[in-house]
Amino acid sequence: MLLDACKIIELPKYHDPRGNLSVIESGQNIPFDIKRVYYLYDVPGGSTRAGQFFIAMSGSFDVIVDDGYARKKIHLNRSYYGLYVPGMMWREVENFSSGAVCLVLASTHYDPDDYYHDYDGFVAAAHSHSQ
């Protein structure tokens, strides 16, 4: 099942009297080279967003992943856990707590033509890829 490829990755956490530090390195902690980094904040209730590797830098939110056959919801609320979501996976980020900040790492530069903007189109493509 493709959903099993979505996994929580625990990032290294270094304790120090000055505060904790976690590190993210391409090809070390995450299974891709980082081409783009962005963060989501002040997300209004009911909004959804997309990405590839999600970290709750502050607060909490849910990530819903869907492979075209099944879906599951993963709750993120620790800054030293990241959720890896491979390609050909519909993803939605929702239920942002007040003041939540979501850091997203991506393996590609932004290209609007590289996204499915319609869920039914995604499902059709996912089913054709699995045949």
Side-chain angles (χ1 to χ4, degrees):
M1 175 186 273
L2 187 56
L3 280 179
D4 293 336
C6 296
K7 61 184 175 187
I8 296 288
I9 297 174
E10 186 169 357
L11 300 170
K13 184 177 176 183
Y14 301 99
H15 300 282
D16 185 288
R18 299 168 292 170
N20 295 326
L21 173 93
S22 289
V23 177
I24 303 167
E25 296 179 288
S26 295
Q28 299 291 319
N29 313 93
I30 56 174
F32 59 86
D33 289 332
I34 300 166
K35 299 282 190 208
R36 183 167 44 115
V37 176
Y38 60 96
Y39 55 98
L40 310 172
Y41 57 97
D42 295 340
V43 177
S47 295
T48 59
R49 302 300 302 245
Q52 183 172 1
F53 189 83
F54 302 88
I55 302 167
M57 299 305 294
S58 178
S60 65
F61 51 86
D62 296 326
V63 180
I64 298 168
V65 291
D66 182 324
D67 63 3
Y69 295 93
R71 54 185 3 198
K72 70 179 176 180
K73 182 186 294 188
I74 299 126
H75 184 71
L76 292 176
N77 63 356
R78 300 280 186 260
S79 59
Y80 51 90
Y81 286 133
L83 174 64
Y84 169 65
V85 180
M88 273 314 289
M89 186 77 57
W90 186 266
R91 49 193 73 82
E92 299 171 5
V93 186
E94 62 180 25
N95 296 328
F96 281 78
S97 68
S98 178
V101 177
C102 171
L103 178 70
V104 184
L105 309 176
S107 62
T108 61
H109 296 286
Y110 179 70
D111 177 357
D113 296 331
D114 204 24
Y115 287 82
Y116 290 97
H117 299 280
D118 172 73
Y119 179 73
D120 291 334
F122 163 76
V123 170
H127 287 222
S128 71
H129 274 74
S130 65
Q131 294 178 0

